Amino acid sequence: MTPATTALLLTAPAAVPLAVSAAYALTAFVRHELPRARVVEQQRLAEKAVAAGGATGPSYAGTAADAGEPVVESLAPRRPIADWAGLASPAVILGCAALLAAQRVDGGSVAAYSGLLRADALTAWMLLVVGAVAFIACASAPAHLAAERAAGSATAWTVWRYHMLVQTFLGAMCLAVVTANLGVLWVAIEATTVVTAFLVGHRRTRTSVEAAWKYVVLCSAGIALAFLGTVLLYYAARQAGISEAWALDWPTLVAHADHLDPAVTRLGISLVILGYGAKAGLVPLHAWLPDAHSQAPAPVSALMSGVLLSVAFAAILRYRVIADAALGPDFTRVLLAGIALLTLTLAAGLLLAQRDYKRMLAYSSMEHMSLIALAAAIGSPLALAAGLLHIAGHGLAKATAFCASGQILHLRGTSKIGRMRGLLAQSPWLGALFGLAVAGLLGFPPFSLFASELGIARAGFAAGAGLGRATAAALLLVLVAFAALAIRAARMLLGPAPNGDTAIVESPSALWPLTVGLAACAALGVATGSLGDLLTQAAAVLERP
């Protein structure tokens, strides 16, 4: 692979989504669909004023604008081509990931821009996950936006803004995956916070804006802790004699970890795990997750739960390698195992009391992230491979479940489980796909979460008495979460259609992305195929030095 090709493959996953975002912004500007282009709605307001016996049309519109009163933007026209154009980014991400994976299964790495961007087997695996989940979310977006247009809740500007923010979100996540500089990693993850805050508050309702502010406050606190931890690690690297240019370079820090000051490194790693753990939905800064996931548009919730949490945890995995080389394995083992059990206990308890199906899926994300944290605490090759497989399986199943939940919300107009009955009777295909996605999250075969959870359990019981007890406790909590999720999903799916309604006509364009996601999750559980070597090499990148 030539240096130019390497640079292209490492740059494209982040650059193409940003370019697509800029194209959406430029198109909105050219079409005059920015927030100030409100002529159509002003005319509509004028007609209403005339019908009500008020001022004349032109004078009413001018009075409203002059008085500074809020004017609602014009309803978005149908733009199916523009809605589907967002699939270009996932296609490029998957293509670059596949090419990098084909080169990196031998355990090596490639770099560009003086080591600023770097790809190893773990990078290729995470890019595959990001691309696959993004494909499901972006393919589900046209149906979601069409439903919002039909309900009259989408405007021309909000639709364009949605596309711009989603593409920028993808670019930031890909940058976090491909960079080797821990400072750039922090900037990229902070960028995801800024961008997704606007996506969480996309609907501009009171609850969505409240959820967005809660998300910003808690994640900013977490990111601040991660920043302080990164600064402390930089200080330890400089004290160890590493030059400024390479003091935050991940391969350099791993190679010189035994020279880092143990006390400073211990504090820095603790802050980083707590900080990025907030973005991954781990305690103690987890409270943003159910509110944000329940209020964001369904495809955005799919991206946040399916890959944003995993990208943040991938950062923790990188730091864990440095910590184990500098401090020994016991420090991160105890810290991660403790956080995993606390998060799992909280998630299981809240699932028992949950009455909202989108929040139910959010707490399920906390459960699965705690299992990945447990796998990282165990740290054996089997546990790490199972944890990475769990990241992929959870991303595919959760993206499918969230996108299906968005269609259910448009169908029924409520997210309350108590008001959901007979989904299979009213919408057989949508109900079946949602039920299969929940079955995948519960760890039923042939979905890949069955294999990954089995691998984590085997690795935990083989790791010694302490981790064996932690694994046993985790399995008991998983059973509690299993029962809570299964009972609530059954209440939604089974029973007669509401008010004796017959089955509705379902749109294939809204269902095929969900089918693709479930098929990929099942295929990954049956046989990893050529991905098996990549998974093994990705786990080897994270093994303790």
Side-chain angles (χ1 to χ4, degrees):
M1 186 182 296
T2 64
T5 303
T6 299
L8 178 63
L9 292 179
L10 292 175
T11 305
V16 169
L18 295 178
V20 173
S21 176
Y24 274 122
L26 181 61
T27 305
F29 178 79
V30 170
R31 293 190 177 187
H32 305 291
E33 291 178 346
L34 295 177
R36 292 185 180 181
R38 299 172 175 175
V39 177
V40 173
E41 187 60 30
Q42 287 180 352
Q43 294 175 351
R44 191 173 301 174
L45 289 173
E47 293 173 358
K48 290 181 179 180
V50 172
T56 60
S59 63
Y60 176 84
T63 302
D66 294 339
E69 297 178 7
V71 182
V72 182
E73 300 168 25
S74 60
L75 294 180
R78 293 184 176 273
R79 298 189 310 273
I81 296 178
D83 291 343
W84 289 104
L87 282 172
S89 296
V92 170
I93 295 170
L94 285 172
C96 293
L99 293 174
L100 289 171
Q103 298 293 325
R104 292 304 99 218
V105 294
D106 59 353
S109 63
V110 293
Y113 307 111
S114 300
L116 183 64
L117 302 183
R118 178 181 179 274
D120 50 26
L122 177 61
T123 303
W125 181 264
M126 290 303 301
L127 281 178
L128 285 173
V129 175
V130 173
V133 175
F135 181 85
I136 298 171
C138 291
S140 298
H144 176 83
L145 295 173
E148 287 197 343
R149 294 187 190 104
S153 58
T155 66
W157 169 241
T158 58
V159 172
W160 287 115
R161 185 184 61 189
Y162 171 89
H163 287 304
M164 288 186 290
L165 291 174
V166 166
Q167 296 298 318
T168 306
F169 181 26
L170 291 178
M173 286 194 294
C174 289
L175 178 60
V177 170
V178 300
T179 186
N181 186 284
L182 300 183
V184 177
L185 170 65
W186 182 88
V187 171
I189 293 183
E190 170 66 3
T192 64
T193 303
V194 175
V195 173
T196 49
F198 292 100
L199 287 169
V200 171
H202 174 75
R203 294 189 179 93
R204 297 186 180 182
T205 63
R206 179 177 179 179
T207 52
S208 65
V209 172
E210 180 183 350
W213 275 109
K214 190 173 184 179
Y215 171 65
V216 168
V217 170
L218 290 177
C219 286
S220 295
I223 289 297
L225 292 177
F227 177 76
L228 182 56
T230 304
V231 170
L232 289 174
L233 202 62
Y234 175 83
Y235 172 78
R238 294 290 292 129
Q239 291 298 108
I242 302 175
S243 64
E244 293 181 2
W246 301 98
L248 288 177
D249 181 65
W250 183 76
T252 302
L253 288 171
V254 172
H256 298 83
D258 54 338
H259 297 96
L260 300 179
D261 182 86
V264 176
T265 303
R266 186 178 294 109
L267 179 58
I269 293 296
S270 299
L271 293 174
V272 165
I273 290 178
L274 289 175
Y276 287 140
K279 292 287 293 185
L282 302 175
V283 296
L285 298 174
H286 63 280
W288 65 268
L289 192 144
D291 293 314
H293 284 50
S294 63
Q295 294 301 319
V300 175
S301 298
L303 286 172
M304 293 178 70
S305 183
V307 284
L308 177 59
L309 305 184
S310 299
V311 166
F313 199 87
I316 294 177
L317 291 175
R318 294 282 189 183
Y319 275 94
R320 171 193 158 277
V321 179
I322 301 173
D324 288 352
L327 307 171
D330 291 339
F331 175 71
T332 54
R333 178 181 293 141
V334 173
L335 183 59
L336 287 173
I339 291 176
L341 290 178
L342 287 174
T343 304
L344 189 53
T345 302
L346 182 65
L350 291 173
L351 278 171
L352 286 173
Q354 197 48 239
R355 298 295 181 266
D356 183 293
Y357 56 81
K358 291 196 73 175
R359 294 176 69 88
M360 174 186 73
L361 294 176
Y363 286 122
S364 171
S365 297
M366 292 176 58
E367 172 206 351
H368 288 284
M369 293 310 298
S370 63
L371 289 176
I372 297 169
L374 181 61
I378 297 168
S380 65
L382 174 60
L384 293 173
L388 293 175
L389 180 62
H390 202 87
I391 284 176
H394 171 257
L396 293 169
K398 190 55 66 66
T400 303
F402 263 117
C403 290
S405 72
Q407 297 184 35
I408 294 171
L409 181 60
H410 287 134
L411 176 65
R412 292 292 186 87
T414 180
S415 61
K416 300 299 181 183
I417 297 175
R419 299 179 184 177
M420 294 293 302
R421 292 292 186 274
L423 184 59
L424 281 172
Q426 184 182 15
S427 182
W429 281 102
L430 177 59
L433 291 171
F434 178 77
L436 288 173
V438 173
L441 293 172
L442 292 175
F444 281 108
F447 299 106
S448 63
L449 277 80
F450 172 77
S452 60
E453 290 180 2
L454 183 60
I456 294 172
R458 287 177 54 201
F461 288 123
L467 286 173
R469 288 191 292 270
T471 303
L475 290 179
L476 290 176
L477 293 170
V478 166
L479 287 177
V480 175
F482 178 99
L485 195 60
I487 291 172
R488 280 152 181 76
R491 289 179 180 177
M492 296 173 61
L493 296 171
L494 304 180
N499 301 323
D501 293 342
T502 58
I504 64 171
V505 178
E506 298 173 291
S507 172
S509 64
L511 299 178
W512 74 262
L514 312 182
T515 306
V516 170
L518 288 176
C521 188
L524 196 61
V526 173
T528 56
S530 59
L531 294 178
D533 292 336
L534 178 64
L535 182 62
T536 302
Q537 293 297 332
V541 172
L542 298 174
E543 289 181 22
R544 294 185 171 99

